[in-house]
């Protein structure tokens, strides 16, 4: 009936209003979050399967908002990207992570720091200059820094992207292709761009012990990276079965809740002392 239709309309607009206002609230509070010290960087260890030792970490941003409580990056990063706030936020992450990881790279000869860079950050013309300046200032070795980029960055391509990629490569910074397997034409990008590492998306890892197709895809990605001389990391490892399967496939590096959740810098200090994952 007409009345029902009207109610339904009211319901939907109400929901829409709520999601818009949540979005606006996040944007508003995120603006002040850096200055208010509400942002923290957590680190998730990456382990070499062969030696069972921690050989790096991925920096992951955390936001404990005084107004909104804990907000997850899956919710606020897209808003930070749309509003441009990701540029100052990304700089904060980089500075914090370089300073935290200084002693880890000094301690472990292979240790790498991986930092996520979203397409919007990548299109910032000053990215390479900013990185050069921060590496110089901190004394952090460029070869131990790895930028995790997604296909979105490469898909747009263009002279600016190519220039930035070439500059970063010249500087000795490593590039990791994040969420590998979820995009459309990853293979051609591997040929065209100086990528050092593939990161197999956790959606494949999580299904690999129950879904034959996913298992085949993970196995193919591992062989591919071996053939191309790239490092390979499986992310989202949650079970012993997954770890065993990956180990059989000779996957070099693993990351996931089974081994460690993302933790604060102090806990990485402690984990590095203990070195092995068990
Ligand atoms: P991502 O780069 O794919 O990061 C991996 C995500 O998987 C992280 O979620 C991590 O906590 C989670 N994870 C790790 N191991 C497991 C596991 O075994 N099982 C499951 N279910 N999840 C696992 P998180 O920290 O919530 O980050 C979500 C996304 O937000 C990231 O996805 C990344 O795209 C973005 N992000 C996080 N921090 C930053 C940052 O500093 N800068 C940028 N640009 N993006 C960031
Ligand atoms: Ca990595
Ligand atoms: Ca990542
Ligand atoms: Ca991922």
């Amino acid at each position: 009936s007409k009345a029902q239709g009207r109610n339904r309309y009211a319901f939907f607009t109400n929901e829409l209003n709520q999601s818009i206002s949540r979005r606006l609230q996040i944007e508003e509070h995120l603006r002040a979050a850096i200055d208010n010290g509400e942002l923290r960087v957590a680190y998730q260890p990456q382990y070499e399967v062969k030696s069972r030792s921690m050989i790096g970490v991925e920096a992951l941003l955390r936001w404990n908002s005084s107004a909104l409580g804990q907000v997850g990056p899956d919710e606020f990063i897209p808003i930070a990207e749309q509003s441009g706030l990701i540029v100052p936020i990304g700089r904060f992450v980089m500075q914090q992570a370089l300073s935290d990881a200084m002693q880890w790279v000094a301690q472990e000869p292979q240790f790498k720091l991986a930092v996520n860079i979203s397409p919007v950050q990548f299109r910032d013309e000053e990215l390479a200059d900013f990185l050069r300046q921060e590496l110089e200032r901190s004394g952090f070795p460029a070869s131990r820094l790895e930028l995790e980029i997604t296909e979105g960055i490469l898909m747009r391509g263009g002279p600016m992207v190519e220039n930035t990629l070439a500059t970063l490569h010249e500087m000795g910074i490593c590039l990791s292709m994040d969420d590998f397997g979820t995009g459309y034409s990853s293979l051609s990008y591997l040929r065209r761009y100086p990528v050092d590492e593939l990161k197999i998306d956790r959606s494949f890892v999580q299904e690999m012990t129950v879904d034959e197709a996913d298992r085949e895809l993970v196995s193919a990605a591992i062989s591919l990276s071996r053939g191309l001389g790239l490092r390979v990391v499986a992310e989202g490892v949650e079970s012993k079965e997954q770890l065993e399967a990956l180990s059989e496939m000779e996957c070099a590096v693993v990351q996931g809740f089974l081994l460690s959740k993302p933790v604060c810098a102090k806990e990485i200090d402690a984990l590095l002392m203990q070195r092995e994952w068990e």
Side-chain angles (χ1 to χ4, degrees):
S1 73
K2 243 188 185 158
Q4 258 179 333
R6 218 177 297 132
N7 280 341
R8 201 173 297 148
Y9 178 72
F11 174 75
F12 282 128
T13 47
N14 190 31
E15 257 200 347
L16 188 63
N17 283 339
Q18 273 173 14
S19 75
I20 290 172
S21 91
R22 167 89 176 157
R23 202 196 162 284
L24 291 174
Q25 277 181 326
I26 288 178
E27 187 177 330
E28 181 197 325
H29 294 294
L30 196 52
R31 228 166 257 286
I34 301 182
D35 293 337
N36 296 345
E38 295 178 351
L39 297 177
R40 293 262 181 285
V41 183
Y43 301 92
Q44 187 174 34
Q46 299 185 332
Y47 288 92
E48 185 180 61
V49 177
K50 193 175 60 193
S51 66
R52 302 189 146 221
S53 59
M54 196 200 295
I55 56 152
V57 289
E58 176 180 4
L60 292 160
L61 188 55
R62 295 291 174 262
W63 180 25
N64 188 8
S65 160
S66 58
L68 305 168
Q70 286 284 347
V71 186
D74 277 331
E75 188 175 13
F76 74 78
I77 294 282
I79 296 171
E81 286 172 343
Q82 286 153 25
S83 60
L85 285 170
I86 192 68
V87 172
I89 288 173
R91 290 181 176 194
F92 162 81
V93 172
M94 187 62 70
Q95 286 167 331
Q96 183 68 52
L98 289 175
S99 126
D100 287 338
M102 261 320 262
Q103 51 164 331
W104 305 332
V105 299
Q107 216 172 316
E108 280 295 317
Q110 304 189 66
F111 200 96
K112 280 205 177 152
L113 167 69
V115 179
N116 291 287
I117 301 286
S118 79
V120 178
Q121 291 170 272
F122 209 82
R123 268 176 265 134
D124 169 18
E125 283 172 14
E126 284 157 25
L127 177 68
D129 283 342
F130 168 77
L131 288 172
R132 196 191 308 275
Q133 170 198 310
E134 288 307 313
L135 290 171
E136 235 160 64
R137 204 171 59 108
S138 62
F140 194 95
S143 60
R144 309 292 201 90
L145 176 62
E146 186 170 65
L147 306 183
E148 294 197 359
I149 60 174
T150 52
E151 263 188 346
I153 291 171
L154 307 180
M155 224 157 73
R156 292 184 147 236
M160 213 210 82
V161 167
E162 310 239 333
N163 264 339
T164 305
L165 282 170
T167 307
L168 297 175
H169 190 67
E170 272 162 33
M171 287 167 68
I173 295 173
C174 304
L175 291 174
S176 174
M177 177 99 83
D178 207 355
D179 304 337
F180 185 73
T182 58
Y184 291 103
S185 35
S186 315
L187 294 180
S188 66
Y189 297 134
L190 292 181
R191 194 161 49 109
R192 277 175 46 204
Y193 296 107
V195 173
D196 304 281
E197 178 186 284
L198 293 188
K199 217 167 166 185
I200 305 172
D201 191 66
R202 69 170 193 261
S203 59
F204 299 108
V205 174
Q206 275 162 10
E207 296 292 309
M208 71 179 286
T209 49
V210 289
D211 184 323
E212 187 58 34
D214 284 323
R215 192 189 173 85
E216 284 303 323
L217 283 167
V218 171
S219 167
I222 294 168
S223 326
L224 177 69
S225 56
R226 190 175 303 126
L228 294 174
L230 306 178
R231 232 162 70 108
V232 65
V233 178
E235 71 172 9
V237 180
E238 289 183 352
S239 74
K240 284 226 163 80
E241 292 70 38
Q242 290 160 3
L243 180 60
E244 261 160 39
L246 289 162
S247 171
E248 266 168 34
M249 294 173 183
E250 292 179 51
C251 176
V253 183
V254 287
Q255 176 183 351
F257 292 168
L258 175 70
L259 305 155
S260 170
K261 298 210 161 176
V263 296
C264 66
K266 270 219 160 69
E267 282 184 64
I268 296 292
D269 295 341
L271 285 170
L272 264 178
M273 299 286 285
Q274 147 196 340
R275 294 187 61 121
E276 295 195 349
W277 70 43
E278 274 154 356

